């Protein structure tokens, strides 16, 4: 499995080199979510929320190929038990961030609605619904899909 991750990382680097490191290639290599999560994890919640509502949640990859969350359920199930446990330890904090990020965007939308700024509120709510759809994609582990389903119901 480690070899697969190394091959995927090498492929991503080759893709970047071949395309001249243009913006689209960078997003393709790191996933739509990574810059948003990075801003969130660094405490820059305003930037993360802004990037979140501007994101195109229909684009792929959603999750960076080097993240354990990028594994499909089938890939995860094929791992040895010890490897699965290690991956779970890696992705549990990320799952929490995914959930908290969605809640923060929804709260920002509700705050906008309270101020009678319905256009902004709508943008936030639609972004959360699209985010939920994106997380619920077939290529993600079941635990990520569950977060996606929960986000859509918020």
């Amino acid at each position: 499995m480690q070899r697969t991750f190394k091959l995927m990382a090498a492929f991503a680097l080759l893709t970047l080199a071949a395309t001249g490191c243009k913006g689209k290639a960078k997003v393709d290599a790191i996933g739509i979510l990574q810059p948003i999560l990075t801003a969130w994890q660094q405490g820059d919640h305003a930037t993360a929320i802004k990037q979140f509502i501007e994101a195109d949640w229909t684009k792929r990859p959603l999750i960076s190929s080097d993240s354990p969350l990028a594994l499909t359920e089938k890939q995860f199930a094929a791992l040895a038990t010890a490897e699965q446990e290690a991956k779970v330890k890696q992705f549990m904090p990320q799952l929490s961030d995914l959930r908290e990020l969605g809640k923060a965007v929804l709260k920002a939308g509700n705050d906008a609605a309270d101020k009678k700024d319905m256009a902004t509120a709508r943008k936030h709510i639609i972004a959360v619904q699209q985010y939920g759809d994106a997380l619920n994609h077939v290529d993600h582990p079941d635990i990520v899909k569950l977060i996606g389903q929960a986000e859509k119901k918020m």
Side-chain angles (χ1 to χ4, degrees):
M1 196 66 199
Q2 243 180 355
R3 184 170 184 228
T4 302
F5 279 123
K6 287 180 182 177
L7 288 173
M8 288 173 26
F11 179 74
L13 287 173
L14 288 173
T15 301
L16 280 174
T19 60
C21 295
K22 293 181 181 168
K24 183 184 181 308
K26 287 181 185 176
V27 169
D28 287 349
I30 62 172
I32 302 300
L33 256 174
Q34 193 56 51
I36 300 167
L37 279 176
T38 298
W40 181 260
Q41 291 163 341
Q42 292 174 347
D44 190 356
H45 294 179
T47 297
I49 290 170
K50 182 179 184 300
Q51 291 174 338
F52 186 104
I53 62 171
E54 293 173 351
D56 180 352
W57 295 108
T58 63
K59 292 199 175 193
R60 299 291 180 265
L62 182 65
I63 299 169
S64 176
S65 62
D66 64 350
S67 170
L69 294 175
L71 293 172
T72 64
E73 189 66 23
K74 187 175 180 178
Q75 290 169 324
F76 183 78
L79 297 174
T81 303
E83 287 180 282
Q84 286 180 352
E85 290 171 3
K87 296 292 181 196
V88 167
K89 285 181 184 176
Q90 287 177 327
F91 68 59
M92 287 309 284
Q94 291 177 325
L95 291 175
S96 177
D97 288 339
L98 292 176
R99 185 80 171 132
E100 293 305 312
L101 178 60
K103 284 181 186 178
V105 174
L106 190 60
K107 182 182 180 323
N110 288 334
D111 291 348
D114 289 345
K115 295 175 185 171
K116 308 293 184 221
D117 184 353
M118 296 308 170
T120 299
R122 191 173 303 112
K123 279 184 193 178
H124 285 73
I125 292 166
I126 289 171
V128 171
Q129 290 172 339
Q130 291 172 341
Y131 171 67
D133 287 339
L135 290 177
N136 197 27
H137 193 268
V138 69
D139 290 340
H140 297 131
D142 288 346
I143 192 140
V144 173
K145 291 179 192 176
L146 288 172
I147 290 174
Q149 292 166 12
E151 293 298 325
K152 288 172 40 175
K153 293 179 183 178
M154 289 174 62

